[in-house]
Structure formats: C-alpha cells, structure tokens
Amino acid sequence: MRKRIVGGLAILAMAILVVFARSPEIAFERHTIDLGISETCAIGDFNGDGRPDIFSGEAWYENPTWTRHEVRHLKEYGTYLESLTDLALDVDGDGRVDIVSSGWHAKRIWWSRNPGKPGAMWEDHTIDEGYNVEFAFLVDLDNDGKAREILPEFGGNGPTVWYEILAGGKFQKHIVSPQNFGHGIGAGDVNHDGRTDLITPQGWFEAPADPRQGEWKFHPEFKLGSTSFIYAIDLNEDGLPDLLTGNAHDYGIYWMEQRPDHTWVKHDIDRSWSQPHALTLVDLNGDGRKDLLTGKRFMAHDGNDPGEREPLGIYWYEYRPSADHKTVEWSKHVIDYGGRAGGGMQIPVADVDGDGDPDFAVGGKSGLFLFENLTKGARRR
C-alpha cells in the first residue's frame, strides 16, 4: 500500500510539473541603434541586399553595421516627431519596400516612396488627412491571407475606416462607421466564420461576405477603455475566440474571455507596470502558441499618465490553457528592465541576423534598439 501511495504521489508531482512548467528564459542581446526620439520602427529590406534593415522616423539603418541613412524630414511637435506609425510595405509594386506613416499632430496618413537610389530623399504621398491618428496597422481585411490593408485609429470625430491598396500606389478608402469608438483598434475573426472582423474598445464589427461593399454589423458587447491593438485569439482553446489587449495609457494587460452567450469576462494578466502601448503576438519559444511581446512606452504623455516615470521594461508572456478550458495560466519573462529601452509604439519581429530565430526592434523617445535572439548562436556575417 505504501509503495502505491508513494508511486501515486510521484505521478501527481509529475503532472503538476507538466501543467505549471514554464519555458526557459530566452537570451537577447540589446544593440543600441540610435538614441534619438522616434517612437516608431519597422523592419524591411530597404536596399534590396537580402538583409532586413530597420526604419524609424526620418531614417533607415543598414544591416549589419546599422549605418544611418536619412531619407525624409519630419516636423517636431514638442517631444513628439510627426510620425507615430511606420509600416514597411511595397505600396507601388515596384519591388522596393516603402514606408506607410501616420501622425496625431500632423492629422494625416501618408506613404514615403523608396526610390531605390542611395542618398536620395523619399517622396511623401498623402493617403488621407484631416483627423488625428493615434496609430495604424497592417491587417488582412480582404481575407486573402496577406496583411496589406491599413487600419488606422482616428481620434476626435473621425470615422472608422480601412484603406485598400490599388495599382500605382493609390488607395481606396472603405468606411465601416461614420464614427470612431475611442482609443484602440484591432482585427481578427471574432465569431469564427473565417472572416476578419474589426474590433473597437466598445464592441466589434462583424465582417460581411464582401468587406468592400457589404454592411459591417456592430455588436456593442463590451467596453474596454483606452486600449492598445486588440487581438482576437482563442486563449483558453474552447473554440471561441477571445480578445487580448492592454491599457495603452494606464496599468495592465488583460484578456477578455468570450462565453457562448456572447458575454465577455475580463481576466488580468499583469497590472504591475503601465503604458503597454505596443503589443505583438509571436511564437518566441517555438511551442506552437503565440506569445505576447510588449513593453512600457517612455513618456507617452510627458509624465501625465499613471506610472510614466517608473522604470522601462520589455517583457514576453507565454500562456497555457487548463485541460478543462476554464482557465489560462500566464508566465512572465523579463527581457530588459531599468534601462533606456521601452516598448514605444511598435515592436516589429523578424529574423534580423539570419540565424533562424526571431529578433525584434523597439523605438521610443529614449532611443531605438535591436534585441538579437541568441537562441541559435552567433549572427550571420
């Protein structure tokens, strides 16, 4: 009998270890790229040499030496640069990676054309103007498997819209609603019908069969407050997509559990730090589940937001749903803390050093940094 009890306890202990085991820490090496104030960054091959470069604000930085190439001039608004979003995209189809940008103070969305000539300045082309733009994202709203549609979040009395790229660098504006629904925007398949829906802090718009012409039905099922990007992802793996986001100008990242009766239950992930303005989903540990990569934005509102003067940090969170799909366990991993690097407005991920694992970059008023993943060894030369 005693042997059976001991054996049973051993099996139980093993089961607990399996359920609550967390992944090993991932070693990242921080590289300082620029100590300027740009809060944006994008990753793309801007000179066509096959290496991913970094773009931020007025310049792109050449891999692997990170030589700075200034290609445009941006206005300064106090402690802010004109651009609060930089998105890497070949807009005009000429094979060169351009940059799509947006700005709150500038009240416009525009793209800067990459001429493909060393030393040449990039020409700006307006996509839309007249409204403050908090941020913008590349998402797949036409359901073709490619994230090439531009989804901005307008402030003030701006509408809820998305932009489709047409031939020759032109854009088609699609109005989902004549109004916006506050700070935050997102996209994902909320009702599991295979279409990309549009998510706001006050509810979600159900995508029609034809996203270009059909009516987007609004479902006012929740109130999230001022958020970061809002992801739709089935975190507890019960077959119903949940929401994942953060309080962009306050403390906390959290997920909203979707119930079968279309009610939503909030679950906090971490409320120990503030300003998670940029969130990126990426599988960092290779377990097949997307992890949450995020960090504290530096002085988003010049010290007027909760916790703005507290130490900067960059973190990743992994999750595991329980066997009964009723709970989700989260494990926090600290990548960097107490230095100059913060989450900024964007955290793009790519294999920058060519060694087969995901690296990432962050920008901010405190500087531009590359975090090299050391999992698979030294960088490619």
Side-chain angles (χ1 to χ4, degrees):
M1 174 64 78
R2 189 169 181 272
K3 290 183 178 179
R4 290 182 181 177
I5 293 175
V6 172
L9 290 174
I11 293 173
L12 177 60
M14 289 178 62
I16 291 174
L17 286 174
V18 170
V19 171
F20 293 101
R22 56 184 272 151
S23 297
E25 297 300 325
I26 299 174
F28 286 92
E29 182 178 353
R30 185 183 67 198
H31 301 273
T32 300
I33 305 299
D34 195 324
L35 293 179
I37 66 170
S38 178
E39 298 187 80
T40 67
C41 61
I43 295 176
D45 182 6
F46 298 105
N47 60 351
D49 68 352
R51 299 175 185 263
D53 309 300
I54 298 174
F55 193 104
S56 182
E58 296 182 325
W60 67 275
Y61 301 81
E62 186 175 352
N63 188 349
T65 61
W66 307 116
T67 301
R68 186 178 191 272
H69 301 273
E70 186 169 317
V71 294
R72 63 181 186 176
H73 300 303
L74 299 176
K75 294 181 181 179
E76 294 187 21
Y77 298 86
T79 61
Y80 302 89
L81 276 185
E82 183 176 9
S83 176
L84 290 179
T85 297
D86 285 334
L87 304 171
L89 183 68
D90 180 6
V91 174
D92 54 2
D94 64 356
R96 294 186 288 267
V97 181
D98 310 299
I99 286 292
V100 175
S101 300
S102 68
W104 178 268
H105 303 87
K107 295 185 176 181
R108 68 177 182 130
I109 306 174
W110 74 97
W111 68 282
S112 300
R113 183 178 181 274
N114 181 353
K117 299 177 181 178
M121 299 300 288
W122 295 20
E123 183 179 357
D124 289 347
H125 302 267
T126 297
I127 298 172
D128 206 351
E129 57 188 343
Y131 301 105
N132 302 108
V133 190
E134 178 67 23
F135 41 24
F137 303 91
L138 290 175
V139 297
D140 178 17
L141 284 173
D142 61 1
N143 305 297
D144 66 350
K146 301 176 183 178
R148 289 178 52 84
E149 287 70 60
I150 300 172
L151 178 64
E153 189 264 287
F154 287 146
N157 61 350
T160 299
V161 304
W162 61 279
Y163 299 87
E164 178 183 9
I165 300 178
L166 305 178
K170 304 297 182 181
F171 287 84
Q172 176 67 50
K173 180 178 182 178
H174 299 278
I175 299 177
V176 174
S177 172
Q179 69 181 86
N180 68 75
F181 295 83
H183 189 302
I185 199 77
D189 187 0
V190 177
N191 58 352
H192 218 309
D193 65 352
R195 302 170 188 163
T196 304
D197 306 304
L198 197 153
I199 312 166
T200 83
Q202 298 185 41
W204 61 284
F205 284 93
E206 183 178 348
D210 184 351
R212 298 175 178 84
Q213 298 182 2
E215 177 185 357
W216 292 73
K217 183 180 178 180
F218 187 59
H219 300 270
E221 296 176 354
F222 45 76
K223 291 186 180 296
L224 306 180
S226 295
T227 74
S228 317
F229 187 82
I230 309 167
Y231 289 97
I233 176 174
D234 184 6
L235 293 169
N236 57 359
E237 299 181 359
D238 65 351
L240 295 174
D242 309 298
L243 304 181
L244 175 62
T245 190
N247 295 317
H249 294 285
D250 207 329
Y251 288 89
I253 51 177
Y254 60 93
W255 67 284
M256 300 288 293
E257 178 187 358
Q258 182 176 183
R259 296 285 176 81
D261 60 356
H262 301 290
T263 58
W264 299 79
V265 179
K266 182 179 179 180
H267 301 274
D268 287 324
I269 299 171
D270 191 352
R271 294 188 58 83
S272 65
W273 57 278
S274 69
Q275 316 301 312
H277 210 290
L279 310 177
T280 298
L281 283 182
V282 57
D283 184 4
L284 288 175
N285 58 4
D287 67 352
R289 290 193 178 101
K290 294 292 182 69
D291 306 301
L292 174 61
L293 176 62
T294 183
K296 180 182 180 67
R297 182 183 174 192
F298 180 63
M299 290 294 180
H301 287 155
D302 296 329
N304 295 309
D305 283 345
E308 272 198 74
R309 300 183 186 275
E310 295 171 357
L312 295 176
I314 299 175
Y315 316 95
W316 69 276
Y317 298 80
E318 61 177 320
Y319 73 94
R320 290 185 179 87
S322 62
D324 60 6
H325 308 293
K326 292 183 178 180
T327 60
V328 176
E329 178 194 5
W330 293 84
S331 295
K332 178 181 181 178
H333 300 264
V334 179
I335 297 174
D336 196 73
Y337 182 79
R340 291 190 59 141
M345 294 290 287
Q346 299 166 272
I347 308 180
V349 178
D351 182 11
V352 174
D353 56 4
D355 65 355
D357 52 31
D359 313 296
F360 68 90
V362 292
K365 294 175 183 175
S366 56
L368 175 66
F369 304 89
L370 167 68
F371 282 82
E372 181 184 0
N373 189 330
L374 302 181
T375 299
K376 295 189 177 180
R379 68 173 289 123
R380 178 191 64 187
R381 298 299 179 183

